[in-house]
Amino acid sequence: MQNPDAHENTGLQFQPPLEEQNYGATAARVRQGPSVSVPRNSPAKRDYLVAAVLCYANLINFMDWFIVPGILLDIQKYFELSDGDTGLLQTVFILCYMLAAPLFGYLGDRYNRKIILGAGILFWSGVTLGSSFINELYYWIFFLSRGLVGVGTASFSTIAPTIIADLFEEGKRTTMLSIFYIFIPVGSGLGYVLAAGMAEATGDWHWAFRVTPCMGGLALVLLILLVPHRTQRRTAAHRALSISGTIREAAEKPGVHRAAKTTWCQDVISLAKNWSFVWSSLGLTAMAFVTGALGMWVPLFLYRAQVVQGIVSPCLQESCNSSNSLIFGGITIGTGILGVIAGAEAARRLRKINNKADPLICAASMFVSALCLYIALMVAQTNILSTFYVVTPRRQSTAIALQILVSHLLGDAGSPYLIGIISNAIQARNAHSFQWSFWSMQYSFILCAFVGVFGGGFFLLTSFYIEEDRKEAEKH
């Protein structure tokens, strides 16, 4: 008979928290005292079905993230928003997501995860559907609805990966989590495509918010039918999730004692002295800043560039042309999948000859992307086509929490709004025209290119310290 303490309760009942969880930014060994490992047979077919349901829900999750950018021009015109107010839409969403994620992480460690997932899907789907009926006079309710959707999606993003990690052993677990995370770029791109496609097909952008709730309803039914109430939780000796979602198998060394417990403040002070962690966190923040701003504004920027070139006429009708969102969504899907696969393969090969491969690849990617972005911005007015084209184990939970907080708070939470208010300020100093509407966004985007360069520099600095900090982490 299986030990009932190793499973979740069927109801929303309190469970003792895991003594140690290791979500970390770098691979590190988990040392533990004598314990009995939990044997597990090969994954059953139902385990794969559960993973498929969670992947499908993850797809919907990120589609909801990018519905608004896909029809941003329609929303801006409908509610008569300035660029600054428009950017605030995504900022509200990310801030609510960021603040809610730790709370759901806490609840997920202690209560029935299936119930939390189901409630989250039902909540964010319901709010998304409701937002499609908001009148133009109540724009503040639309802003509030985006924040509530952020809260709902946080419940899924923080809990679903832990269920997949608990279902599979090392090797299979890595593969399944990689598949789960590949739906981030796929869902993001499909968000643009869905929003633009529905607006174009129906002539009303509100319908873009009525599709994913139906998909969410199906996900909820599948969750109820296929995901078990009881999912065996693995201890820190079985797995540790890194910030990138990859899996590091914990070393099981009987007889080796755990490090002495430390306070949260002591952990933060220690992390502040870990230069690999500091510089990589700043690099991630720069990357989040750039991707958050571009993800929000690029379709609208391309539209303004086309108006200046005379390719399209200014949008005066009820539903605007959303072809840019369709193209950008397709590119997001393709390059997202290619980037994940190419980056993982490049890192795998380079690690054999250089232990600093990970931060060096990140640095090179940021430098190249910043250069390409700057070139694309400069030629967008004349050629639109070019625009398309090491932490110790016991501190890993604190490390990933701080890394997520900093990267969102200083990155993609504020960048859409910042780009918007810079664009507003430039337009306010010049005569109102479509030309200056384009130039204001173009000049604002230059900030992203410079932030990208700083991000590359931060990752490069990480490479100077990563080996030393990794060796130090392995001692604890």
Side-chain angles (χ1 to χ4, degrees), residues 290 364-374 449 452:
V290 174
S365 300
M366 290 294 288
F367 285 135
V368 172
S369 63
L371 176 62
C372 292
L373 173 60
Y374 183 81

Side-chain angles (χ1 to χ4, degrees), residues 288-310:
F289 183 98
V290 174
T291 55
L294 295 181
M296 182 68 175
W297 289 109
V298 162
L300 183 60
F301 171 72
L302 295 175
Y303 159 77
R304 293 180 179 180
Q306 289 175 326
V307 171
V308 170
Q309 293 180 46

Side-chain angles (χ1 to χ4, degrees), residues 197-449:
M198 289 303 297
E200 186 173 336
T202 63
D204 184 1
W205 62 268
H206 293 85
W207 281 96
F209 291 95
R210 297 168 185 168
V211 177
T212 53
C214 298
M215 299 173 67
L218 176 60
L220 182 60
V221 172
L222 294 174
L223 180 79
I224 294 172
L225 296 178
L226 298 177
V227 177
H229 277 279
R230 298 178 178 182
T231 305
Q232 181 176 318
R233 291 181 181 272
R234 298 182 184 277
T235 62
H238 287 82
R239 49 109 172 127
L241 283 171
S242 76
I243 191 168
S244 62
T246 57
I247 305 303
R248 313 298 190 188
E249 182 70 9
E252 298 185 8
K253 294 185 177 181
V256 180
H257 298 287
R258 292 189 178 113
K261 291 184 177 181
T262 56
T263 66
W264 185 83
C265 289
Q266 289 174 322
D267 289 345
V268 172
I269 293 173
S270 177
L271 290 171
K273 298 177 182 179
N274 185 320
W275 289 109
S276 294
F277 173 77
V278 171
W279 293 124
S280 64
S281 296
L282 291 175
L284 285 171
T285 301
M287 183 174 65
F289 183 98
V290 174
T291 55
L294 295 181
M296 182 68 175
W297 289 109
V298 162
L300 183 60
F301 171 72
L302 295 175
Y303 159 77
R304 293 180 179 180
Q306 289 175 326
V307 171
V308 170
Q309 293 180 46
I311 297 176
V312 299
S313 301
C315 178
L316 302 175
Q317 68 271 23
E318 181 66 23
S319 181
C320 301
N321 187 314
S322 302
S323 59
N324 289 322
S325 293
L326 289 171
I327 297 172
F328 187 68
I331 291 175
T332 300
I333 296 171
T335 56
I337 295 174
L338 180 63
V340 170
I341 296 174
E345 182 62 18
R348 186 184 68 82
R349 291 177 179 272
L350 288 178
R351 282 194 205 106
K352 297 177 180 178
I353 57 176
N354 192 333
N355 291 331
K356 303 177 181 179
D358 290 333
L360 290 176
I361 290 173
C362 292
S365 300
M366 290 294 288
F367 285 135
V368 172
S369 63
L371 176 62
C372 292
L373 173 60
Y374 183 81
I375 294 173
L377 290 173
M378 294 301 101
V379 303
Q381 185 174 345
T382 57
N383 184 3
I384 194 69
L385 291 178
S386 62
T387 309
F388 279 120
Y389 284 100
V390 222
V391 178
T392 59
R394 296 198 64 85
R395 297 191 176 107
Q396 287 180 347
S397 295
T398 303
I400 192 171
L402 290 176
Q403 212 160 41
I404 290 174
L405 176 66
V406 171
S407 62
H408 281 306
L409 185 62
L410 302 180
D412 54 351
S415 61
Y417 179 60
L418 181 60
I419 295 299
I421 61 174
I422 292 175
S423 178
N424 277 354
I426 295 174
Q427 291 182 51
R429 291 171 176 262
N430 298 277
H432 179 71
S433 66
F434 288 108
Q435 182 72 66
W436 272 109
S437 178
F438 164 74
W439 279 341
S440 64
M441 189 63 65
Q442 182 186 42
Y443 297 154
S444 301
F445 270 153
I446 293 176
L447 175 63
C448 292

Side-chain angles (χ1 to χ4, degrees), residues 33 56 129 139 148 184 188 200 217 255 293 301 390 393 402 408 443 462:
Y56 170 66
L129 180 62
Y139 69 91
L148 293 177
I184 293 178
S188 302
E200 186 173 336
F301 171 72
V390 222
L402 290 176
H408 281 306
Y443 297 154
T462 303

